[in-house]
């Protein structure tokens, strides 16, 4: 069986196809594959450096943003209501396998 | 082709990030990451938070997955201590008997918990919290009914107290100052967290200076200089940290309570850099020299070092920031407050959601503390970086967004 993958568009617009290990978060997958997200808080919804855009049709199917996630992202300049997520709060999810997400600009 | 590696001593947040950034910025020569601890490099913040209260013992999240280092060509030497630097030879001597010649050396040796030079400090049951080992020992000792005395109400002491209370321990915090977290926040926030802890059964004693630990081999009580005695089965000391600068000092690098570095992380030896908790640097905003013990600083300095080694352009300095979580309540701070700043309370502390804005010279936003209010944190951090001015009266109204408050001033 082929491994689950996720496509990540970096800030220059290049697309990277990454293997997504089912026991990891989206943030860990992006970070450990050399894409430039800092993830300074280690995935505790404190820093917003793992901000990504998930396509609205996919985002709709994920659990909605927690209050912390919503507040942290809502005040970033790059916030998009229907797409912004903290990738550290997204655990492996079959809904996203094969889809494309985009790194939000650095603050 | 460069034969000699870039050697990084210390695989905490700073050291690992140096190695990572070197790879990301295109370094094709060898990199060696040396750490005295034998574990896969891990996140320290959870050691005093979730890891203490989780029902099953678990490991802290690794900074990178285990296979990362090999995949990226970063050689790790875990469980190996750097013993000395030979500046003439340009080499580090290691505890395994080897010597590593280096192209560049990065010291990311972090800090060690400050000890208390008082009798009984070596008794069983008196401990610190810095490493995974410490955290696991502590977790096993925090059983219901255990009498825990925490010495020092800094953020680590406070996080430990919160975990202890949650696990049903009888918890007392002794603090020399007259309020909690006095080094990192203002009285309003200190009050809020004191009350929060007391609601969860934690006792505080202020103006208390531990003078002696009592016990035959295991601690049984803490004595304070005012003659009081506090029975204890477990003592956790959280009275700050000291930088691990011995390697640097012995090699003749300039040190002064921290390895002195510039904004590229350069030490007084052009081949040697330093980053993270171990450094002291000139603060770009205030002209004073300081040490910072936070993840943000470790990562920012690591990035600056990697850039400078490879000749990549430096980044703008970043606003320092920090978080702590106690009894599920999140305090996040950005910027560095000065006791002379005008402190404006935004929102009502009794609601559990508020912020304190620190205004310098009347209206310049210099720092912010936010309690359960990440929108103010995110906005505040950005406004501090932009050097924004804020009208104190307008800013006190939590119904107006901070960004709007600032916009109305420009
Ligand atoms: C319990 C706890 C909770 C924390 N919570 C937070 C938080 O919520 N938010 C936050 O921002 N910060 C927090 N911090 C602080 C943060 O973890 C540190 O600022 C950060 O880890 C510093 O990284 P560093 O790489 O400089 O040092 P460290 O992480 O201390 O790493 C230094 C490494 O160097 C190694 N080393 C030292 N000397 C040698 C030698 N001679 N040879 C080989 N190896 C050596 C050590 O073994 C160690 O692994 C916390 C710290 C602790 C201890
Ligand atoms: S890693 Fe910090 S918010 Fe996601």
């Amino acid at each position: 069986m082929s491994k689950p993958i996720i496509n990540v568009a970096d800030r220059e617009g290049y697309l990277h196809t990454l293997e997504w290990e089912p026991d990891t978060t989206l943030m860990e997958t992006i970070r450990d594959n050399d894409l430039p997200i800092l993830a300074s808080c280690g995935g505790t919804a404190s820093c917003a450096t793992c901000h990504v855009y998930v396509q609205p049709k996919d985002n709709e199917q994920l659990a909605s943003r927690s209050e912390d996630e919503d507040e942290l992202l809502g005040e970033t300049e790059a916030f998009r209501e229907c797409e912004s997520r903290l990738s550290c709060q997204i655990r492996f999810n079959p809904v996203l396998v094969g889809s494309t997400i985009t790194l939000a600009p650095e603050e | 082709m460069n034969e000699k590696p870039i050697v990084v001593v210390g695989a905490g947040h700073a050291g690992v990030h140096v190695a990572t950034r070197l790879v990301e910025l295109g370094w094709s020569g060898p990199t060696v990451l040396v750490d005295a601890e034998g574990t896969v490099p891990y996140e320290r913040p959870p050691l005093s938070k979730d890891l203490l209260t989780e029902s099953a013992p678990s490991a802290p999240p690794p900074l990178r997955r285990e296979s990362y280092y090999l995949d990226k060509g970063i050689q790790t030497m875990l469980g190996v201590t750097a013993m000395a630097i030979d500046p003439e030879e340009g080499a580090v001597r290691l505890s395994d008997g080897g010597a590593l010649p280096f192209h560049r050396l990065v010291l990311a040796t972090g800090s060690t918990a400050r000890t208390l030079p008082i009798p009984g400090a070596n008794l069983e049951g008196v401990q610190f919290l810095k490493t995974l080992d410490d955290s696991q020992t502590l977790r096993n000792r925090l059983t219901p009914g255990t009498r825990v005395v925490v010495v020092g109400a800094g953020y680590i002491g406070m996080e430990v107290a919160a975990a202890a209370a949650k696990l049903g321990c009888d918890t007392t915090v002794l603090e020399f100052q007259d309020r909690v977290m006095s080094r990192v926040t203002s009285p309003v926030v200190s009050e809020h967290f004191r009350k929060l802890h007391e609601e969860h059964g934690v006792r505080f004693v202020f103006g208390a200076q531990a003078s002696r630990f009592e016990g035959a081999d295991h601690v049984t009580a803490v004595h304070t200089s005012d003659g009081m005695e506090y029975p204890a089965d477990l003592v956790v000391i959280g009275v700050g940290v000291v930088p691990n600068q011995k390697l640097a000092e012995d090699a003749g690098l300039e040190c002064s309570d921290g390895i002195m570095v510039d904004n590229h992380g350069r030490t007084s030896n052009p081949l040697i850099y330093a980053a993270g908790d171990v450094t002291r640097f000139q603060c770009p905003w205030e002209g004073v020299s300081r040490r910072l013990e936070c993840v943000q600083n470790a990562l920012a300095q690591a990035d600056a070092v990697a850039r400078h080694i490879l000749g990549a352009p430096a980044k703008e300095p970043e606003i320092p920031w920090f978080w702590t979580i106690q009894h599920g309540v999140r305090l996040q701070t950005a910027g560095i407050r000065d006791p002379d700043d005008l402190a404006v309370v935004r929102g009502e502390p009794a609601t559990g959601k508020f912020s304190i804005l620190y205004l310098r010279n009347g209206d310049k936003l210099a720092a912010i503390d936010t309690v359960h209010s990440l929108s103010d944190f995110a906005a505040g951090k950005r406004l501090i970086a932009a050097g924004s001015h804020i009208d104190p009266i307008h800013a006190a109204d939590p119904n107006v967004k901070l960004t709007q408050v600032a916009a109305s001033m420009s």
Side-chain angles (χ1 to χ4, degrees):
Chain A
M1 210 180 88
S2 65
K3 294 214 167 145
I5 57 128
I6 176 122
N7 302 303
V8 181
D10 69 20
R11 300 191 185 102
E12 276 77 48
Y14 294 103
L15 202 60
H16 305 258
T17 299
L18 313 179
E19 275 176 24
W20 191 356
E21 302 282 343
D23 56 347
T24 61
T25 64
L26 184 53
M27 175 277 276
E28 288 164 331
T29 298
I30 298 172
R31 179 192 67 188
D32 291 358
N33 280 288
D34 287 353
L35 288 170
I37 57 166
L38 199 54
S40 30
C41 74
T44 58
S46 315
C47 72
T49 59
C50 67
H51 183 183
V52 297
Y53 300 129
V54 176
Q55 291 173 19
K57 66 173 173 41
D58 297 329
N59 197 18
E60 270 170 20
Q61 299 189 59
L62 303 176
S64 51
R65 289 185 292 259
S66 69
E67 188 184 343
D68 279 348
E69 181 177 357
D70 204 46
E71 288 204 9
L72 199 55
L73 286 174
E75 281 298 330
T76 59
E77 262 169 323
F79 178 66
R80 294 182 192 163
E81 178 64 45
C82 302
E83 297 174 51
S84 284
R85 297 305 302 242
L86 295 175
S87 56
C88 69
Q89 302 302 303
I90 301 179
R91 303 215 66 85
F92 178 82
N93 191 326
V95 163
L96 291 179
V97 168
S99 71
T100 300
I101 60 128
T102 305
L103 302 190
E106 261 182 299
E107 283 290 299
Chain B
M1 179 73 199
N2 257 305
E3 294 292 34
K4 289 191 206 166
I6 296 175
V7 174
V8 183
V9 179
H13 277 100
V16 167
H17 200 52
V18 169
T20 297
R21 291 299 290 148
L22 287 170
V23 172
E24 288 173 358
L25 292 167
W27 166 246
S28 55
T31 305
V32 183
L33 190 55
V34 181
D35 199 289
E37 283 187 63
T39 26
V40 178
Y42 57 87
E43 296 272 357
R44 277 182 211 282
L47 300 183
S48 49
K49 302 182 180 72
D50 295 350
L51 285 186
L52 290 180
T53 51
E54 272 168 9
S55 45
S58 61
L63 287 166
R64 293 287 183 287
R65 70 185 141 80
E66 189 169 2
S67 55
Y68 173 86
Y69 303 94
L70 192 63
D71 288 356
K72 305 297 168 190
I74 299 166
Q75 186 193 341
T76 51
M77 300 182 79
L78 304 177
V80 177
T81 305
M83 307 300 285
I85 303 166
D86 183 340
E88 261 91 72
E89 285 287 311
V92 215
R93 278 202 297 110
L94 304 175
S95 57
D96 64 4
L100 265 179
F102 55 79
H103 167 60
R104 293 289 183 276
L105 175 65
V106 184
L107 298 174
T109 46
S111 55
T112 305
R114 189 184 294 279
T115 52
L116 282 180
I118 60 175
N122 293 325
L123 286 172
E124 253 315 282
V126 176
Q127 77 155 92
F128 300 91
L129 178 49
K130 186 73 189 182
T131 63
L132 177 56
D133 264 4
D134 295 338
S135 177
Q136 286 173 342
T137 309
L138 186 56
R139 182 184 170 280
N140 292 334
R141 287 173 168 170
L142 292 176
T143 47
T146 301
R147 295 166 304 172
V148 179
V149 174
V150 176
V151 181
Y155 72 87
I156 292 186
M158 294 291 277
E159 288 179 355
V160 169
K166 183 170 179 189
L167 295 167
C169 303
D170 177 67
T171 312
T172 306
V173 180
L174 306 179
E175 167 59 49
F176 182 61
Q177 302 294 331
D178 59 1
R179 59 188 179 89
V180 307
M181 298 189 285
S182 61
R183 211 163 53 94
V184 295
T185 190
S186 60
V188 182
V189 178
S190 295
E191 254 319 271
H192 186 76
F193 277 87
R194 179 187 61 78
K195 280 194 207 137
L196 175 70
H197 278 257
E198 285 177 351
E199 280 159 21
H200 287 83
V202 177
R203 273 186 305 275
F204 289 95
V205 186
F206 294 102
Q209 186 171 26
S211 57
R212 181 164 69 87
F213 300 116
E214 186 181 318
D217 34 54
H218 199 283
V219 72
T220 54
V222 183
H223 292 258
T224 51
S225 48
D226 55 4
M228 297 295 287
E229 178 182 341
Y230 301 90
D233 308 307
L234 174 64
V235 173
V236 184
I237 302 178
V239 294
V241 299
V242 286
N244 294 331
Q245 63 184 35
K246 182 150 190 321
L247 277 179
E249 258 174 343
D250 291 350
L253 303 186
E254 199 187 322
C255 295
S256 166
D257 182 30
I259 305 175
M260 300 302 296
V261 294
D262 67 6
N263 54 356
H264 302 294
R266 284 185 290 191
T267 69
S268 56
N269 180 323
L271 297 183
I272 307 179
Y273 294 75
D277 278 16
V278 74
T279 66
R280 174 174 286 275
F281 58 98
Q282 204 64 30
C283 182
W285 301 278
E286 301 154 82
V288 296
S289 91
R290 61 168 70 249
R291 280 195 293 117
L292 282 179
E293 298 135 28
C294 61
V295 171
Q296 175 281 325
N297 181 58
L299 298 182
Q301 284 187 320
D303 178 60
V305 165
R307 284 169 184 270
H308 194 269
I309 293 177
L310 300 182
K315 267 175 69 167
E316 284 289 303
E318 203 189 304
I319 301 300
W321 68 273
F322 182 79
W323 78 100
T324 170
I325 299 174
Q326 299 164 25
H327 303 291
V329 177
R330 188 192 273 278
L331 167 64
Q332 289 205 189
T333 76
I336 296 174
R337 108 198 143 89
D338 182 293
D340 292 336
D341 291 337
L342 173 65
V344 177
V345 183
R346 175 175 155 83
E348 177 50 58
T351 62
K353 187 182 178 86
F354 67 102
S355 311
I356 313 282
L357 310 179
Y358 300 100
L359 305 184
R360 197 143 309 162
N361 306 322
D363 68 358
K364 183 165 183 278
L365 187 61
I368 187 167
D369 291 346
T370 64
V371 177
H372 195 56
S373 176
L374 285 176
S375 21
D376 277 3
F377 170 77
K381 184 160 160 274
R382 201 141 52 82
L383 294 172
I384 296 166
S388 302
H389 294 263
I390 293 261
D391 168 29
I393 298 181
H394 203 185
D397 180 355
N399 298 315
V400 185
K401 283 191 160 204
L402 263 191
T403 37
Q404 283 167 4
V405 177
S408 68
M409 284 287 280
S410 49

